[in-house]
Amino acid sequence: MEKEFVTLSQGSGGSEMQELISRFAFSKAAQNAGWKNCDSDSATLDIGDGRSIVFTTDSFIVDPIFFPGGDIGHIAMCGTINDLSVMGARPLGISLGIVIEEGFSISELDRIISSIDKVSKSTGIPVVTGDTKVMQKGKLDKILINTSGVGIIDNDILLARKISVGDKIIISGGLGEHAVALLSKRFDYTTDILSDSKPVIEEMDAIRDKVKIAKDPTRGGIASILNELCEKHGVGMLLYEEKIPAKQEVRKVVEMLGINLYELACEGRIICIVSPKDAQSVEEILKKFNKDASIIGEITEGSKVIIETFLGKRILSMPAGTIVPRIC
Amino acid sequence: MEKEFVTLSQGSGGSEMQELISRFAFSKAAQNAGWKNCDSDSATLDIGDGRSIVFTTDSFIVDPIFFPGGDIGHIAMCGTINDLSVMGARPLGISLGIVIEEGFSISELDRIISSIDKVSKSTGIPVVTGDTKVMQKGKLDKILINTSGVGIIDNDILLARKISVGDKIIISGGLGEHAVALLSKRFDYTTDILSDSKPVIEEMDAIRDKVKIAKDPTRGGIASILNELCEKHGVGMLLYEEKIPAKQEVRKVVEMLGINLYELACEGRIICIVSPKDAQSVEEILKKFNKDASIIGEITEGSKVIIETFLGKRILSMPAGTIVPRIC
């Protein structure tokens, strides 16, 4: 039976969200107009001369807006830069749509703007167009940011390649750090963990030639992204649980809160699919950026994501229900 | 003295908003990266081969979300399509960032999506990438939409030309229709006026060769856009009041509510600057789309926008204060 009202779980990056956005039957018109990869981190359009435009968007409703290791401005810049980067593209420009609640503190706004500016300076990727709106007090919880991004890429660099059984799955660092840092403010516990929010441009530059597909495991975490890849490419996956990196303190907090590590949004991680011959080398390169980078699994026959644990095998399902609201 | 909190008037498209966004000192980085027209409806970047990317963003917080002649989805598509169109560009793709309040009606969401789809079908411009978030009940007033848009344009078509004293100012239809339609729902009066919300692609296609600069007079209305043009180009303007088109019913409502017709957002109008030799012809072409299209003034020496009325001349200032909140 038809749900009549939008639920929180429909915004969580899991199966209910997929059901919700399946109502937006826009992809056929996009395909007819020549756009590809509309279900990827960024959509692409061949503009001739062997080049494609790369285009993406993301809205950020993170709560709290300031957290250890970042803030809503930082995450809004990194998220969109990363959605372009994982396609293999060099981002050219970012748009910034800010909606602010009347009465929001100007000094907090200045901190957010300064944070956006810092990411822009450190990456060399400018904010080129923007829009600012204000809503009456009580009509919006503090501030909301949309960033969209555009880039251009040579078609032969575009990371949208065919994956095969035996390919390796590599993650560029530990899971759960963004969630734990953010939830520490919400639940008022003390932690040394900082959000992993960061641009992944340098990592992508270093591994781009050796990677078939790269993904930005944000909402729904690796559980969501890996299940999506399996469905799209008609493959299965085997993950080695003891190889999946997460800091001890992250594991403790995740256990304490009873949430699933694999479903938590990362904001500065790449998960990539690499042919077996390149896997070792990609892992080594990524370890230079973050020592927790690791080969965590491989592509198999089948259609499910299976985790191999000390106690046997279990299925890692597409997330369902409300994972953790307003984490990104 | 520094304002400490964000005010509604800072979101109204007038002088306070300019002061607020002047805090976002992003334009220098954008210029250094080669972007131009960052203060226009769309930013542009030369990508070689005589072509430029055109890129824009807009967030829509319109209240009520359904109004005579349109809804938030319709206006979100038209607004961004028009921001690209007035640069002379053919829009290639639109991004759709939707943030929904938990508990929002699915049937209303379907109406909004269907409205977006209709604009997409009628213009042939697809939604190519999107993001959907849900906020807890009470944290957002119903729904908020961000659309960004990307296009490509031949550099010699790009409408960012020099304007000169004697050039004519032409508006493509009557003012105030969007505001009056929308406010009729908010203040519960009866009107036959429909929002002017529409894509201006066909009009732009028809006049593009004859136009120096075209603008989309949304937030702050023609008062805002004409003052901006004067400041940017170091010119003045003379408007002929009796030539400025507005339906009789619009004038009545505007007078009743005590708001300034010239400060009201249009969502389907073009205001353009045309050399004197082309003015008559552009006016005639635009009249085929809307009989109220009219030459309403000319570029002069000086720095102010002056309106010539039956009673003498007066200055049309940059809007200040809260114009009408959440009209776009």
Side-chain angles (χ1 to χ4, degrees):
Chain A
M1 209 194 97
E2 185 95 57
K3 277 204 202 79
E4 283 186 274
F5 300 101
V6 173
T7 63
L8 262 189
S9 62
Q10 288 176 318
S12 288
S15 52
E16 294 92 338
M17 193 176 87
Q18 292 200 321
E19 190 269 340
L20 180 72
I21 61 178
S22 71
R23 309 179 85 85
F24 308 174
F26 296 131
S27 59
K28 207 173 157 204
Q31 279 168 34
N32 289 346
W35 286 84
K36 294 179 183 166
N37 301 304
C38 295
D39 57 351
S40 291
D41 294 281
S42 298
T44 63
L45 177 71
D46 193 325
I47 55 161
D49 304 321
R51 297 186 296 174
S52 287
I53 283 185
V54 184
F55 184 32
T56 190
T57 192
D58 214 339
S59 305
F60 297 85
I61 58 171
V62 57
D63 174 42
I65 51 180
F66 299 97
F67 48 83
D71 59 54
I72 191 171
H74 189 264
I75 200 178
M77 281 297 280
C78 294
T80 289
I81 287 172
N82 292 348
D83 280 340
L84 296 171
S85 297
V86 294
M87 303 300 289
R90 176 88 202 164
L92 289 176
I94 303 293
S95 72
L96 181 65
I98 304 189
V99 186
I100 314 170
E101 183 186 18
E102 178 188 16
F104 188 76
S105 139
I106 288 276
S107 71
E108 293 199 341
L109 181 63
D110 282 342
R111 277 175 68 193
I112 292 166
I113 295 302
S114 145
S115 181
I116 290 170
D117 198 39
K118 266 185 206 151
V119 179
S120 173
K121 285 211 169 74
S122 73
T123 57
I125 301 164
V127 173
V128 301
T129 184
D131 177 69
T132 306
K133 295 263 162 47
V134 181
M135 284 174 90
Q136 294 101 323
K137 198 158 182 62
K139 300 289 187 180
L140 171 69
D141 187 19
K142 298 185 204 73
I143 188 167
L144 182 156
I145 298 184
N146 175 284
T147 45
S148 301
V150 68
I152 282 229
I153 189 170
D154 289 344
N155 291 339
D156 55 1
I157 295 177
L158 189 63
L159 295 180
R161 298 179 188 139
K162 207 180 135 35
I163 62 185
S164 320
V165 170
D167 285 348
K168 298 295 184 185
I169 304 162
I170 307 179
I171 183 94
S172 69
L175 301 184
E177 293 168 30
H178 173 65
V180 164
L182 191 129
L183 293 173
S184 74
K185 292 275 283 191
R186 217 186 282 170
F187 291 104
D188 206 20
Y189 59 79
T190 310
T191 177
D192 295 331
I193 300 287
L194 301 179
S195 166
D196 53 64
S197 172
K198 71 186 277 286
V200 298
I201 296 180
E202 291 181 15
E203 289 91 322
M204 282 304 307
D205 279 348
I207 63 173
R208 191 164 47 197
D209 297 343
K210 298 180 199 289
V211 166
K212 291 185 164 188
I213 286 181
K215 290 279 171 186
D216 179 22
T218 56
R219 234 180 333 168
I222 67 165
S224 176
I225 213 85
L226 295 181
N227 275 290
E228 271 176 44
L229 281 174
C230 283
E231 193 185 331
K232 186 172 170 185
H233 293 265
V235 297
M237 292 182 184
L238 182 69
L239 303 183
Y240 330 126
E241 190 174 50
E242 86 279 7
K243 292 284 211 170
I244 302 177
K247 289 192 159 59
Q248 211 45 51
E249 191 170 346
V250 168
R251 292 189 189 276
K252 261 168 45 193
V253 173
V254 161
E255 201 169 319
M256 178 179 89
L257 295 176
I259 51 184
N260 184 341
L261 178 64
Y262 305 138
E263 296 184 352
L264 298 178
C266 303
E267 292 295 333
R269 298 286 178 252
I270 307 160
I271 192 155
C272 55
I273 315 287
V274 179
S275 80
K277 71 174 172 47
D278 293 322
Q280 208 72 46
S281 141
V282 168
E283 185 191 45
E284 274 163 31
I285 294 169
L286 289 175
K287 272 187 187 300
K288 288 180 197 159
F289 293 95
N290 184 318
K291 65 176 179 40
D292 294 337
S294 174
I295 300 173
I296 61 168
E298 62 194 84
I299 305 298
T300 62
E301 308 277 357
S303 63
K304 303 234 179 277
V305 183
I306 308 287
I307 307 194
E308 193 169 54
T309 74
F310 287 117
L311 299 168
K313 292 180 176 176
R314 63 179 176 85
I315 292 174
L316 178 64
S317 307
M318 176 62 88
T322 306
I323 302 167
V324 186
R326 297 186 62 186
I327 201 169
C328 58
Chain B
M1 211 193 97
E2 185 96 54
K3 275 203 205 79
E4 283 186 276
F5 300 102
V6 173
T7 62
L8 264 188
S9 62
Q10 288 176 318
S12 289
S15 52
E16 293 93 339
M17 193 176 87
Q18 293 201 321
E19 190 270 341
L20 180 73
I21 61 177
S22 70
R23 309 179 85 85
F24 308 174
F26 295 131
S27 59
K28 208 174 157 199
Q31 280 168 34
N32 290 344
W35 286 85
K36 293 179 183 166
N37 301 305
C38 295
D39 57 351
S40 291
D41 293 280
S42 299
T44 63
L45 177 70
D46 193 324
I47 55 162
D49 305 320
R51 297 186 295 175
S52 287
I53 283 184
V54 184
F55 185 31
T56 190
T57 193
D58 213 339
S59 304
F60 296 84
I61 58 171
V62 57
D63 174 40
I65 52 180
F66 300 97
F67 48 82
D71 59 54
I72 190 172
H74 189 265
I75 199 176
M77 282 296 280
C78 295
T80 289
I81 286 172
N82 291 348
D83 280 341
L84 296 171
S85 298
V86 294
M87 303 300 288
R90 176 86 200 165
L92 289 176
I94 303 294
S95 72
L96 182 65
I98 304 191
V99 186
I100 314 171
E101 183 185 19
E102 178 188 14
F104 188 76
S105 141
I106 288 276
S107 71
E108 292 200 343
L109 181 62
D110 282 341
R111 276 175 69 192
I112 293 167
I113 296 302
S114 144
S115 180
I116 290 170
D117 199 39
K118 265 184 208 155
V119 178
S120 173
K121 284 210 171 73
S122 73
T123 57
I125 301 164
V127 172
V128 301
T129 185
D131 177 69
T132 306
K133 296 263 164 42
V134 181
M135 285 174 89
Q136 294 101 322
K137 198 158 181 63
K139 299 290 187 180
L140 172 68
D141 186 20
K142 300 187 205 72
I143 189 167
L144 181 154
I145 297 183
N146 176 284
T147 45
S148 300
V150 68
I152 283 229
I153 189 171
D154 289 344
N155 290 339
D156 56 0
I157 295 178
L158 189 63
L159 295 180
R161 301 181 185 136
K162 206 179 136 37
I163 61 184
S164 320
V165 170
D167 285 348
K168 297 296 183 184
I169 304 161
I170 308 180
I171 182 94
S172 67
L175 300 184
E177 293 168 29
H178 173 64
V180 164
L182 191 129
L183 293 174
S184 74
K185 293 274 283 191
R186 213 185 286 168
F187 291 104
D188 205 21
Y189 59 79
T190 311
T191 177
D192 294 329
I193 299 287
L194 301 178
S195 165
D196 53 63
S197 174
K198 72 186 277 287
V200 298
I201 296 179
E202 291 181 15
E203 288 92 322
M204 282 304 306
D205 279 349
I207 63 172
R208 192 165 47 199
D209 298 343
K210 299 179 197 290
V211 165
K212 292 186 164 187
I213 285 180
K215 289 279 170 186
D216 180 23
T218 56
R219 233 179 336 167
I222 67 165
S224 177
I225 213 82
L226 294 180
N227 275 289
E228 271 176 45
L229 281 174
C230 283
E231 194 183 330
K232 187 172 169 187
H233 293 265
V235 297
M237 291 181 184
L238 182 69
L239 304 183
Y240 330 126
E241 190 174 52
E242 85 278 6
K243 291 285 210 169
I244 301 177
K247 289 192 159 56
Q248 209 47 47
E249 191 170 348
V250 167
R251 292 189 189 275
K252 261 168 46 193
V253 173
V254 160
E255 199 169 320
M256 178 178 88
L257 296 174
I259 51 184
N260 184 341
L261 178 67
Y262 305 138
E263 296 184 353
L264 297 178
C266 303
E267 292 295 333
R269 298 286 176 253
I270 308 159
I271 191 155
C272 56
I273 314 287
V274 179
S275 80
K277 73 175 170 46
D278 293 321
Q280 207 72 45
S281 141
V282 168
E283 185 190 46
E284 274 163 31
I285 294 169
L286 289 176
K287 271 186 187 299
K288 287 181 199 158
F289 293 94
N290 184 319
K291 65 177 179 40
D292 293 338
S294 173
I295 300 172
I296 62 168
E298 62 195 85
I299 306 297
T300 62
E301 309 276 356
S303 62
K304 304 235 179 278
V305 182
I306 308 287
I307 307 194
E308 193 169 54
T309 74
F310 287 117
L311 300 167
K313 291 179 177 176
R314 64 182 176 84
I315 292 174
L316 178 65
S317 306
M318 175 63 88
T322 306
I323 301 168
V324 186
R326 298 185 62 187
I327 201 168
C328 57

